Each structure stands twice: as C-alpha cells, then as structure tokens.
Amino acid sequence: MTREPRFGALAADARWQKAWEAANSFATTDSEDRPKAYILEMFPYPSGRIHMGHVRNYAMGDVLARFKRMTGHDVLHPMGWDAFGMPAENAAMEKGVHPGGWTRDNIASMRAQLKRLGLAIDWSRELATCEPDYYGQEQSLFLDLFAAGLVTRKHSYVNWDPVDMTVLANEQVIDGRGWRSGALVEKKKLSQWFLKITDFADELLEGLGALDSWPDKVRLMQENWIGKSQGLEFSFKLAGGAAGFDVFTTRPDTLYGASFAAISPDHPLAERLAKDSPELAAFIEDCRRQGTAAEQIDTAEKMGFDTGIAVEHPLDPNWHLPVWVVNYVLMDYGTGAIFGCPAHDQRDLDFAHKYELPVYRVIADGDETEQHFTGDEAYTGPGKLVNSHFLDGMGIDEAKAAVITRAEHEGWGKGTTVWRLRDWGVSRQRYWGTPIPFIHCDACGTVPVPKNQLPVILPEDVDFSVPGNPLDRHPTWKHVACPSCGGEAVRETDTLDTFVDSSWYFLRFASSPSDKPFDPEVIRRWLPVDQYIGGIEHAILHLLYARFWTRALKHMGMIDIAEPFASLFTQGMVTHETYSMLLHEDVGDREVFFSPAEVEWHDGKPYVEGNYPQAPLHVGRVIKMSKSKKNVVDPDAILDQYGADAARWFMLSDSPPERDLPWSEAGIEGAWRFVQRLWRIFGDTENAGDGGEDKALARKLHQTIAGVAADIEALGFNKAVAKVHALANEIEKAKPSATRAEACRTLILLVAPMLPHLAEEAWAALPAGERTTAMIADAAWPAADPVLLVDDEVTIAIQMAGKLRDTMTLAKGLDKDTVEAAALARPRIVELLAGAAPKKVIVVPDRLVNIVP
C-alpha cells in the first residue's frame, strides 16, 4: 500500500477495524494445541455512554490479550453487559420508556463506542444479563443451589422506601432518607430469599491465602468483611437471677471495665419491653429510620434508651449493670447484645459521655493506672490488665484466655467464633431483574418452578405509573397453576440482586450451550480467568460473591475449580479537575458545574464559553470523572480528533496503571505527537545505508524486546511505554545501517499490542517479503537474542581528588592493570596530572577508578 507522509488515524482506525472483523481475527478457537489465556475486564453496566475510565480499563486488558496472541496463546477475551438494575427502571418512570428498550439501545451505543477503540474482542461471545438465554440459565443454577440446601427464605429487616415502595441498599439511604424519593426510610421486616454464603465463610477466608496474585489491599478488605472473631459468648442474668440474654465479645479481658449492657433495637427483649413502653417503642422506630449498614451506624450519633432494668455482672453477681437499648448495636452480628466498656471502645466511650455513665480503666500501658478514665479517646492499644482483680498484671491475650477458662469452668459462658459475614439477601422488589423461579401455593407452600418451564420470562406489558414493583400488580403474569397440585398459585414477584448476575458470567463467556448453563469440560479448559481487571470499588461484594458462587458450584460437583480469578488487577481511575460557579438564589446558594467542553481559557483562567470577561469559574480538586460534577471528557470527541491509538497510548503511558490518571490536554496532545513520530520512524525501514552492524543499537533493541514483554506480562504498561520511547530515541540517533532498519521493523511489532491501528498501517506498508503475516494481528512477538541481553561493555567513572573527572566505556571484566592504564591515558586525566605520577590508583572492577594525585 502507498505510504502517506502523515498517519491518518481516523481512516486507519476504520480500515483495520473492518479488516479484523472480516477476518474474524479475534475469535477464540478452543484449541487444545496452544496454551490458553483468559483475559477479562469487569463487564460494564449499559448506562448509555462509555467514559475515559472504560477506555483505560479496556485498553489495559486489550494490550495483554493482543500480546498473548502474539506469544502463541489461544486467547479468550470477551465482552458483555451487566444489564439489569434500577437505573433502567428510573428511566422508565422518568422518561416513559420500557427498561428493556432503554437498556438495549444503550448497549448498541456503547458497543459501537467500544469497537472504535479497536479492542481485540471475540464479539461472538457477547452476552447481556437481561436476555432470557442468560437469566434462564441463572434461574436453573438458583434451583440447583436450592436443591443443595444453599438457598433459604426467611424474614429479615430491610431499608424500605414507603414512597417508591421498594427495598433500598444501604448505600441508597442518605441521611435516613431514600436517595430518589427523599422519604424517611423505614426498617421493615420482609420475607426474603438468601444465599447461604456463611456456609463457606471458613473456605472463603482460608482461600485468600492462596490468591498471591491478588492485591494485598483487596485480600485484606475481604478478610475484614468476612470478619472472623474469636471470643466469649456468655449469658447475662437479670438482677434477681431471672434469665436475661446472651452476649458475644471479642474482649472478655475487659469485663471488669463494664459500666452498662446494651441491646439492639431489634433484640427480642427490646421488642418485648416496648409493648409496655410507648417511649421505647418510639425510640425503636427512630432507630429503624437509619441505615442498616455497620458503617452508617458507626458514624451516626449514639442514641440510647434506659430500660430501667439491670443485669448481674458475670464475674460478680452483686455488681449490677443498667440495660440500655442503643442504636449502634446490630442484631445480625453476634447476639445483638454487648457489654459496654467505655475506656477501651470509642463507641462505648461516646455513648457513656453522652449519658454520663462511669468509665473504668482496665488496660494500662505504663504508669497511668487510675481506675476512673477521663480521656476523650478510648485506649485500644497493648498493655497489662489493671483494676481487674484476678486478671491484674496479665497481658491481653493471657487475660482473654483466663476469663474464657473461668466462664467454661463455672458454666456461664464458652469460647466461640462468630463471623461478620451474613447470608446474602438476594430479594429485590423490582421489575428489571431475574425473576426468582418459585411459585407460592396455599396448599403446597413454596414450590420451585420445574426446569422444563424455564426461563420464567419477564412480562413486557408493565406499568410504572404507580410506585412499587409492577410484577406485584400485573393482572396475569403472576397467576399460574401450582406445578405440584395444579391448583391456583402465584409466582414469586421478587427478582434477584444484580450481583447474582455478575457472580457467574465469566463461566458463560467460556461456555454457552443452549440447554444448560455451561459445559463442564469447556470450563475445565478455560477457568480460572488468568487475568481479571477492574476497579477497587468491587473489592468486596462482586469479588466475594463470585468466589462464593464458584465454590458453591464446586461443592455441587458442577465445576472443578474453587477460585474464579487466578490474578486480579485493580486499575486506578481517570480524574479531572472540576469547574463550577456559585449561584445566589432565593432558596440559598447553589453550585453549578460545567464540563471541560463548556469552558474556555483566558490568561490562565477558565470561563463559561462565550462568557468572557465575566467572573471566572472556580477550579476544584482533581477527582474521579463524574457526571454529577460534569468533569467528564467524551471519548468520542477524543477519538474524532486524535484517533484510537493516541487515546490508548495516553491511557497507558502517564501513570502506573494501579494509580489514578489525571486527564490533561497536554497528555493527549503528547500521545498524538508520539504516534506521528513513530510513523516517521517506521518509514525508515528500508534506509539501511552503507553502515555495517550497529552493536549498541542491536543490544538496545533486544533488551527492549525482552523488557517490553516482561512489562506487559506484569501489567507495567507505563514502563513498557518508557522503553519504547527510549528505543525510538536510539533509532533516531543511529546512523543508517542494517541494524537500524531491523530495529524500525521490530519496533512495529513491539507497539502492536498498544497501537494496533498504527502498527497494522506500518506493517502493510512493508514489502511483502519482510512481512511474516498479512496482518500484524496474526504476527508473532519478536524473539530476543539472549546473548544481546547481557551487556558486554560497562561505563566506568574516573574520580580524582574525590570528584568525578571523566567516564570511559570498556569491555566488561578487564583486569585492573588494563583499566588503570586506560584511565591514565584519558586526555582529561593526562591534563589534570600535568606530567606528575599519581600517588595511588584504586580500581573497583567494572565500576570505578579513583586516582589520588
């Protein structure tokens, strides 16, 4: 093909994307003859538009996938859509569109955008979780889990929005109100479906130790979320000896520091007492208006209600502790009851200060042993027991063991283990989700839908004009015959949590038969995923649920693996500064944000476009790109102006991939200039000149081949980019030679995973005899000569009178006499010595010559 003097990115992008699609270049072959490489980025929610974070995430995975193809692997690199969820229902309510149509239109738009990036994806494996061929198989797996005893249905407290008439996730409760309706949220007890993830708590915790290719931070987050706690479970007796309630504590050593007992507002004792106390009943209702997440409760103002009853201290029956109902004790952790030790627990201390309860010190690290604790910050560090009778002088661990031993000996408690992890509530009172495949019959109870009746398909004719779940009020869909007795029955109208959809999609990518969720033999070939890439925000829920789902399937004998993702990489976010203006209105000040496209600059200050010289905008912090803050950059605009390769190069080059990447116009401009610079270098592949072999350039070339390969394998893309820059510099400085021509040709291969359109264009411009394949997408990664990977020359520093005076390049490993003679013969050293003999010459082999004049 004719080579243009300037790289035309937009034409090249379109040409090669069409060529790859026509050749089916990135289809997975399922070949047993080649090693497999399953590369997967977390699939996106189809919100309608991709953002620069998507570009960075998928560019990283694409580089690795293309590199693995070049190194002889059979690559599985698929794409799909996490397509169920509330945003589609919100669109239905606000815009009068159907969630399905809105979602599928968004998928089409985002697919087109992603294809513009030139991703090496096997699009034949595309899936969307909202399609019956996917969620029908999910229903089948849910029934398998039910048959294995891993699905249960029970009553549980949830966040209930009385206006939208739906359950809210903890994250959707803001200051006690629903995030969309603004209504005061209620805690409501509903019958919910649960997956018994707690059956695998030990396995999930222990398995983290084998995930050595996961970030330590993610493993620690999961460990804390699973939350294995060992401690003492004991019974408080009510004052007077009547049975009271059980307490679990991880700090039995601090029992002598107790000043009160506390129970959850949902504790059976609290509910019993509330029947005779309107004040307590009102307090409990107030508590139920706050979120159910431990994080929200920890940061909320501590509130309590004195019940007027007391319990006996287990170590001293004559010591009575008042019983309070408090808002910061969770019913679903431990027993829903605690003893308060304010001196050594910050929540208890805040509570004790508010209600003027005593504070007793029982741990001391030094001379501060006074029993009455007066500080504002609880002491939670190491130390010895004080003011604790038989425990005095013991260390913390010794004291814990001593209390547990005494409790077990005297029969009022026992050592036990509890978990922070709760069973996974998967019921959602929403339309746009996977229907839970069960039927409720008055005669037979709750009956699973027979598998030959799957999928249970969502009805299309639904009404969103009334708040709540449209499936509940559908005139026909939920009314069915009971599969057991044939009598009148109703379908389950709850749908599954969307995290269920993303807990097994990686299996369906590998194998998607029409008659079952997957083929175990194909799964055995492809799983686990070799490299999984996604955001740190998914460290707990998605990744933990996917691990549980995989272990559950293994438990049922459906697959052989216990962990879904062999290696995990969490990429940083793409960030941008914000631009805003404060508007003064009758109802108060309001901050209005503007996108970078709406801003023009004058004298280094930003203004609303067309508004100069009015007041400049406020420049805010560099933060994650966000639609609400409008600090987003449209990928389509970038691709239109600079092309896919410049966008990819910038995403890969400016920051280590695990760190945030600040977006800048200078950065994308620099990437574009380097793409053009490479295009000029590639044009010199035939310019061998009359020079012979360039040993230094050959060594640099082969070191770069090996170095870039190692960096891509390690996902060190910015390091690979730096090595390409360094090689390009050396090529441009080198004189014409056969080595230089070879370096130019090889450089095309080295950038092919990162700059695929540019590489294809340059590859096609080579003479046919110099190309091993028609397209570089099918070419092999160049082999590095191991001989040239070892430097056979070294640069040696020459010092005189303690100062660096000169350097020289010599063959590696020369004897001291030869090195000394070479140093003394250097013109600069001859000049400095001025004919005098040095007093002493010290030679450090291959590093340094120190001359004492």
Side-chain angles (χ1 to χ4, degrees), residues 92-93 462-468 470 473:
M93 288 182 275
V462 285
D463 176 18
F464 289 95
S465 63
V466 179
R473 56 181 183 273

Side-chain angles (χ1 to χ4, degrees), residues 527-601:
L527 271 290
V529 174
D530 295 287
Q531 184 63 64
Y532 199 38
I533 302 173
I536 191 71
E537 65 272 18
H538 300 293
I540 297 175
L541 296 182
H542 161 57
L543 290 169
L544 184 63
Y545 292 155
R547 294 183 62 221
F548 156 67
W549 198 269
T550 303
R551 287 179 179 273
L553 295 176
K554 182 176 187 292
H555 170 76
M556 295 188 294
M558 299 182 71
I559 59 177
D560 295 333
I561 60 165
E563 293 289 348
F565 313 119
S567 181
L568 172 70
F569 184 80
T570 54
Q571 89 283 352
M573 299 179 292
V574 181
T575 60
H576 198 290
E577 62 192 11
T578 60
Y579 309 112
S580 64
M581 175 188 297
L582 199 62
L583 297 183
H584 304 288
E585 301 175 338
D586 292 341
V587 294
D589 292 343
R590 179 167 62 94
E591 190 173 18
V592 179
F593 290 90
F594 298 88
S595 72
E598 298 173 301
V599 173
E600 61 184 37
W601 292 80

Side-chain angles (χ1 to χ4, degrees), residues 87-201:
E89 289 200 33
N90 292 337
M93 288 182 275
E94 294 165 8
K95 302 177 183 179
V97 297
H98 191 279
W102 183 85
T103 299
R104 294 179 182 101
D105 287 348
N106 288 350
I107 287 173
S109 297
M110 292 178 69
R111 183 193 301 116
Q113 285 186 293
L114 288 174
K115 284 189 173 184
R116 290 193 66 189
L117 295 173
L119 303 176
I121 284 172
D122 182 354
W123 285 101
S124 71
R125 300 191 181 229
E126 181 183 13
L127 61 81
T129 60
C130 66
E131 300 301 343
D133 61 352
Y134 183 86
Y135 70 72
Q137 300 300 343
E138 182 168 294
Q139 291 168 340
S140 176
L141 289 173
F142 193 76
L143 293 177
D144 292 335
L145 291 166
F146 176 77
L150 295 174
V151 174
T152 186
R153 193 164 182 256
K154 59 186 177 182
H155 282 84
S156 173
Y157 281 106
V158 296
N159 301 315
W160 180 257
D161 187 318
V163 173
D164 280 349
M165 298 178 63
T166 188
V167 170
L168 300 178
N170 290 320
E171 295 76 18
Q172 295 172 318
V173 179
I174 302 171
D175 296 329
R177 295 180 179 271
W179 68 282
R180 203 181 77 85
S181 71
L184 284 172
V185 169
E186 303 169 356
K187 268 190 183 177
K188 189 173 184 179
K189 212 169 200 178
L190 294 179
S191 183
Q192 302 275 288
W193 291 92
F194 288 84
L195 286 170
K196 297 176 71 175
I197 189 173
T198 54
D199 284 9
F200 293 84

